[in-house]
Amino acid sequence: MARPKMSRNKRLTIAWTIFSFLFLSSAIVMIIVTEIWQSQDANSLRVPDKHTLRAMSLSQLNLNAAIVAAVVIIVSFCIGCAGFYTGLGPGKEQMGLLVFNYSLVFTMLVTVTVGSIMWLYTLTERNDFAEVWLLQNGAVQSFVQDSMKCCGYWNATTSGLLTQATGFCASITNVTAVTPCVGPVTSFAE
């Protein structure tokens, strides 16, 4: 005796499809934004512009992590489509959805790992960013000081990483009264 063909609830199928495409959309947005930022930031550290602070804040590792997370989401989406839309017979659908659930757990682990690494970086951000500050050329440091109305990284002395006394910092009369760049720069980076 033949088993009757199983069918899905139409609302469930529509809801699953909508949420799956939203899931896929998040990956596409991550890839697009990462590519835009990479192209904008490519020259920002040589010739300062409005993207310079973002280029200083985001390392290539951060951008690569976003691409990896997006690829994991796309793979998970494909596994989910295969699992959800394949055969409706007994046992067939369950295996595909089981694999999809494991891929969702893996996606969650990748996302939590990337987020945790970024969060751990923020715990030492002020000290770590001092190294980034020293790696920048004079034009970039002057641009940041002029745009944020601050002088030096830690303070407005050479020991406070003031290497460019130009623009806003050229007319300092009282170095203790000037805001150091550590606060505004790390606030932007967060």
Side-chain angles (χ1 to χ4, degrees), residues 3 9 13 17 19 34 88 123-124 130 181:
R3 289 183 164 225
N9 182 324
T13 303
T17 303
F19 285 117
T34 300
L88 292 174
L123 297 178
T124 58
C181 293

Side-chain angles (χ1 to χ4, degrees), residues 43-59:
N43 294 322
S44 291
L45 295 179
R46 285 185 296 245
V47 180
D49 63 9
K50 63 182 179 180
H51 307 295
T52 299
L53 278 173
R54 187 182 62 221
M56 289 173 63
S57 303
L58 292 175
S59 69

Side-chain angles (χ1 to χ4, degrees), residues 84-120:
F84 192 79
Y85 292 111
T86 55
L88 292 174
K92 291 180 183 176
E93 182 178 82
Q94 289 80 9
M95 182 54 84
L97 291 177
L98 180 66
V99 172
F100 175 56
N101 285 331
Y102 283 121
S103 74
L104 286 176
V105 169
F106 180 72
T107 302
M108 182 219 37
L109 290 174
V110 168
T111 304
V112 168
T113 301
V114 168
S116 296
I117 290 169
M118 291 177 138
W119 173 74
L120 285 172

Side-chain angles (χ1 to χ4, degrees), residues 138-139 141-143 145-146 150-151 162-171:
Q141 289 180 357
S142 292
F143 175 80
Q145 291 174 154
D146 290 346
C150 59
C151 292
L162 175 66
T163 58
Q164 297 301 312
T166 58
F168 177 75
C169 299
S171 60

Side-chain angles (χ1 to χ4, degrees), residues 2-103:
R3 289 183 164 225
K5 184 172 178 162
M6 297 175 68
S7 65
R8 273 196 195 94
N9 182 324
K10 189 175 183 176
R11 281 193 223 159
L12 173 67
T13 303
I14 291 170
W16 192 92
T17 303
I18 289 170
F19 285 117
S20 292
F21 278 100
L22 288 173
F23 188 50
L24 177 64
S25 299
S26 70
I28 292 169
V29 167
M30 286 169 55
I31 291 171
I32 290 171
V33 168
T34 300
E35 291 301 318
I36 289 171
W37 284 358
Q38 282 179 331
S39 67
Q40 289 175 342
D41 295 350
N43 294 322
S44 291
L45 295 179
R46 285 185 296 245
V47 180
D49 63 9
K50 63 182 179 180
H51 307 295
T52 299
L53 278 173
R54 187 182 62 221
M56 289 173 63
S57 303
L58 292 175
S59 69
Q60 191 60 41
L61 179 67
N62 298 121
L63 299 173
N64 290 343
I67 295 290
V68 167
V71 168
V72 168
I73 290 171
I74 290 169
V75 168
S76 186
F77 167 80
C78 293
I79 291 170
C81 286
F84 192 79
Y85 292 111
T86 55
L88 292 174
K92 291 180 183 176
E93 182 178 82
Q94 289 80 9
M95 182 54 84
L97 291 177
L98 180 66
V99 172
F100 175 56
N101 285 331
Y102 283 121
S103 74

